Amino acid sequence: MSRITRLAVTALGVVAIAAGGVYAYFRFVGGRELTLAAGAELVPADATVVTHVQTSEQAWSQFARFGTPEVHQLFAENVQQWGQENLSDTELDYQTDIAPWLGNVMFAALPAADAIPTGENFVAIVGIRNKLKALDFVEGFKDSNDIVSTEKRDYQGIEITSFETAEGDTANAAFIEQFIVFSPDGTVLERVIDTFRGEPSLATTAEKNAFLGDDLGLQQPLAQLYLADLTALLRDASGNLPSDLSPEVLESLEAIESIAVGVGLEDLGLRVRALAAVDPEWVAQVQTNTSDNKLLERLPANTLAVLNGEGLVQGWQNANVQAESDPQAQQALDAARQLVRNNLGLDLDREVFGWMDGEFAFAIVAPDAPFEPQLGLGGVLMLETSDRATSEKALAQVDTLVGLPFIRQRQTTVGSTEVTEWLVPTEQQPVATRGWLQDDLMVWAIAMPFAEITGVTEPDSLAGSKAFQEVAGALPTPNFGYAFINVTAVRDRLNALPQTPLQQLPPEALAITESVRALGLTASQPQPDRSQLDILVTLEANVQ
């Protein structure tokens, strides 16, 4: 990384000096920040990877609204360390010499011309936000001793400057559309110029890559990564894919036309969003149903973490369909079937997964009366089913097998709900309790009172809690369910333990942990040919 950074910084100075006079260039060419859309117009259409990074102080300064002083100090130290590691040979300071004028950066990787990747087949496009500050940088650069030689040549009316550094590195740079374009490989730079002159660019393939050029709906985008062809990234020098890729994995990769990932700041904190352009026919083969997320209204508000969704049986069936073309996967599934049959006497397809066709939820709870006070945690499992008879038959079989000699069962009533308790001989409280809250909803309470679940109403549920509503309200709907962690509550619970496990973390990790309030994740499908993943990290406000 330090070599590439040094070359890029050198390219900025060399090309400006070589452009017929520094003052002439910066007097008549205005500053222009590089947007993802503008950069896409210069990147050849067959680019495999594109990265766009915001460099403006205004964008990154929004972090000051969040976090603790320790996190801000950690961020400043990382920036300083990056400068020391990557700019040490240039005698430049990023914050003083580069940041004031840098107007965003884009990197693009292109297929090697001879199908043999060299590590040089990339191009960097740099925007100039403040031309006066850039002029100060170039004036200071003119006296640099880092340049051994330079050579100019014309290509399609654009001047390319090739140079060699004192370290023996060579690179090429040019001004195109008020941007500085740089590549170690001169032929790559020529391809960018060809694109500028009319050859197909990423921008002209907008029909295939519809989300390229926008901000992925992020309020304040910081960085975006675009993968145009996953299989192309995996091919070796001969164009062959890795031999250990199963047919199912290869089919899945080929069904994904492109992926865009963005990171950005918003009012609540930090969001990561990924969009995949997928083959609708492949999507139709995969059984997926959105979740109505109603079980979240039955979980108590003191839920620390939850994972919910719809139809575990669908996931099992999809795994079996994909395993039909993968002998190893098929062997693993068959082994699981045999294991369940030998130990539990159950049919894994019909008697285990077969009845799990409704919504499900797995949760970790901080119950009011935990059976293990020192840890203070309990678990909840909720499963909706349209086939209660099969589920009860399977559970009766499990009761029989686990009952001797370690577990005994006890039938009792909690409120108006009949429940089955599993108890170990040395404990008075059950390790697990299950019952039916309604005809199609089975609930397990683990290491906690079952009564803390039966009495939950929507206002005092997880769904009604402020922490969850804040996160879920900022995530797209409809969706396939949520993964949610109340980090503040988890942190408070861990800090209350005698062992104080958080204090064992490195200072950097502890500072980051103390800045996070909650974490939410959901997957959705906004269009038949689009799959979307959102991760939202809500952050503590900076009180200073």
Side-chain angles (χ1 to χ4, degrees):
M1 179 61 186
S2 59
R3 170 179 174 268
I4 299 302
T5 303
R6 184 175 64 251
L7 279 175
V9 171
T10 304
L12 301 179
V14 168
V15 73
I17 295 172
V22 175
Y23 290 100
Y25 173 76
F26 285 109
R27 181 180 301 172
F28 297 110
V29 179
R32 181 183 177 187
E33 287 197 345
L34 176 69
T35 65
L36 184 59
E41 295 177 354
L42 297 178
V43 176
D46 60 348
T48 55
V49 182
V50 176
T51 303
H52 180 266
V53 180
Q54 286 274 353
T55 61
S56 70
E57 182 179 357
Q58 179 181 2
W60 289 92
S61 66
Q62 298 303 309
F63 264 119
R65 297 186 290 127
F66 305 106
T68 62
E70 291 79 7
V71 167
H72 295 158
Q73 178 65 27
L74 177 63
F75 183 80
E77 290 176 355
N78 283 336
V79 172
Q80 183 179 8
Q81 181 180 356
W82 180 90
Q84 292 174 347
E85 293 177 351
N86 292 281
L87 300 174
S88 58
D89 296 337
T90 65
E91 298 183 356
L92 295 172
D93 179 79
Y94 175 79
Q95 295 286 8
T96 303
D97 300 314
I98 298 176
W101 58 265
L102 193 62
N104 306 334
V105 180
M106 175 181 283
F107 293 92
L110 304 178
D114 55 2
I116 300 177
T118 63
E120 308 292 317
N121 53 316
F122 75 90
V123 62
I125 307 174
V126 180
I128 301 173
R129 176 166 51 91
N130 187 318
K131 63 180 181 181
L132 295 179
K133 295 291 184 181
L135 178 60
D136 291 339
F137 163 76
V138 173
E139 280 293 296
F141 189 86
K142 286 196 298 183
D143 298 327
S144 172
N145 296 321
D146 191 49
I147 306 301
V148 174
S149 63
T150 61
E151 181 180 344
K152 299 179 185 180
R153 62 188 175 92
D154 181 273
Y155 184 79
Q156 296 214 44
I158 292 180
E159 184 176 87
I160 295 177
T161 301
S162 302
F163 62 91
E164 181 180 354
T165 70
E167 291 78 15
D169 295 317
T170 58
N172 309 266
F175 279 128
I176 305 176
E177 277 290 277
Q178 303 181 35
F179 304 127
I180 296 177
V181 183
F182 149 77
S183 177
D185 189 330
T187 60
V188 171
L189 186 55
E190 291 176 359
R191 289 205 57 203
V192 173
I193 295 174
D194 291 337
T195 303
F196 174 64
R197 294 302 188 197
E199 291 296 318
S201 69
L202 281 182
T204 61
T205 61
E207 292 182 359
K208 178 182 179 182
N209 309 312
F211 43 71
L212 181 66
D214 62 27
D215 292 327
L216 299 179
L218 300 173
Q219 290 183 16
Q220 178 60 69
L222 298 176
Q224 289 180 245
L225 172 68
Y226 175 74
L227 305 176
D229 189 339
L230 295 183
T231 55
L233 293 176
L234 296 174
R235 296 185 187 277
D236 59 20
S238 301
N240 299 317
L241 289 166
S243 58
D244 57 350
L245 279 183
S246 66
E248 60 169 16
V249 172
L250 181 58
E251 181 182 2
S252 300
L253 290 175
E254 291 177 340
I256 301 174
E257 296 177 352
S258 52
I259 295 177
V261 181
V263 180
L265 284 172
E266 49 189 68
D267 295 338
L268 293 174
L270 190 70
R271 182 187 296 269
V272 179
R273 172 169 289 168
L275 273 175
V278 294
D279 182 355
E281 295 183 1
W282 178 82
V283 173
Q285 298 174 7
V286 181
Q287 300 182 48
T288 51
N289 291 328
T290 57
S291 177
D292 58 15
N293 300 311
K294 288 296 184 181
L295 293 186
L296 303 181
E297 298 176 3
R298 291 186 170 273
L299 290 170
N302 54 9
T303 297
L304 302 178
V306 66
L307 173 67
N308 80 297
E310 195 79 18
L312 288 173
V313 65
Q314 294 177 343
W316 175 252
Q317 290 171 348
N318 290 337
N320 279 276
V321 170
Q322 295 180 5
E324 291 176 356
S325 57
D326 185 348
Q328 289 185 341
Q330 187 65 62
Q331 184 178 4
L333 295 181
D334 290 341
R337 290 185 177 92
Q338 191 65 36
L339 180 66
V340 171
R341 180 167 295 281
N342 291 343
N343 290 276
L344 299 177
L346 296 174
D347 184 303
L348 187 59
D349 297 277
R350 184 176 59 85
E351 296 176 301
V352 178
F353 284 109
W355 53 270
M356 300 180 185
D357 54 359
E359 186 181 349
F360 66 88
F362 304 94
I364 299 175
V365 178
D368 296 330
F371 293 160
E372 177 51 62
Q374 185 174 8
L375 186 60
L377 299 178
V380 177
L381 168 62
M382 295 184 172
L383 295 167
E384 282 186 338
T385 179
S386 62
D387 188 358
R388 177 169 175 172
T390 299
S391 66
E392 288 185 323
K393 179 181 177 182
L395 290 170
Q397 177 74 0
V398 174
D399 285 340
T400 301
L401 293 172
V402 302
L404 296 174
F406 307 107
I407 301 292
R408 63 183 177 91
Q409 283 91 39
R410 181 173 65 191
Q411 308 298 321
T412 185
T413 301
V414 177
S416 60
T417 304
E418 296 181 356
V419 300
T420 299
E421 296 178 337
W422 287 5
L423 300 98
V424 295
T426 59
E427 299 292 337
Q428 295 299 315
Q429 302 289 2
V431 294
T433 306
R434 75 167 186 273
W436 294 84
L437 291 190
Q438 57 191 45
D439 288 341
D440 63 349
L441 177 59
M442 181 183 66
V443 176
W444 287 80
I446 303 169
M448 63 176 288
F450 194 85
E452 292 195 26
I453 305 172
T454 59
V456 173
T457 59
E458 197 280 332
D460 60 355
S461 69
L462 172 65
S465 68
K466 179 180 178 181
F468 180 80
Q469 287 185 345
E470 186 177 58
V471 172
L475 292 173
T477 56
N479 56 52
F480 298 111
Y482 295 99
F484 169 78
I485 302 175
N486 187 335
V487 178
T488 298
V490 172
R491 187 169 61 240
D492 292 344
R493 178 66 56 173
L494 293 176
N495 283 332
L497 295 176
Q499 299 85 353
T500 59
L502 288 182
Q503 302 307 315
Q504 311 305 317
L505 294 175
E508 298 83 358
L510 181 60
I512 294 173
T513 301
E514 291 179 342
S515 294
V516 177
R517 290 190 291 122
L519 173 68
L521 179 150
T522 192
S524 58
Q525 192 169 354
Q527 301 174 31
D529 61 346
R530 291 286 185 273
S531 293
Q532 181 171 319
L533 178 70
D534 283 80
I535 302 174
L536 179 64
V537 183
T538 60
L539 301 174
E540 297 283 1
N542 183 9
V543 296
Q544 290 192 338

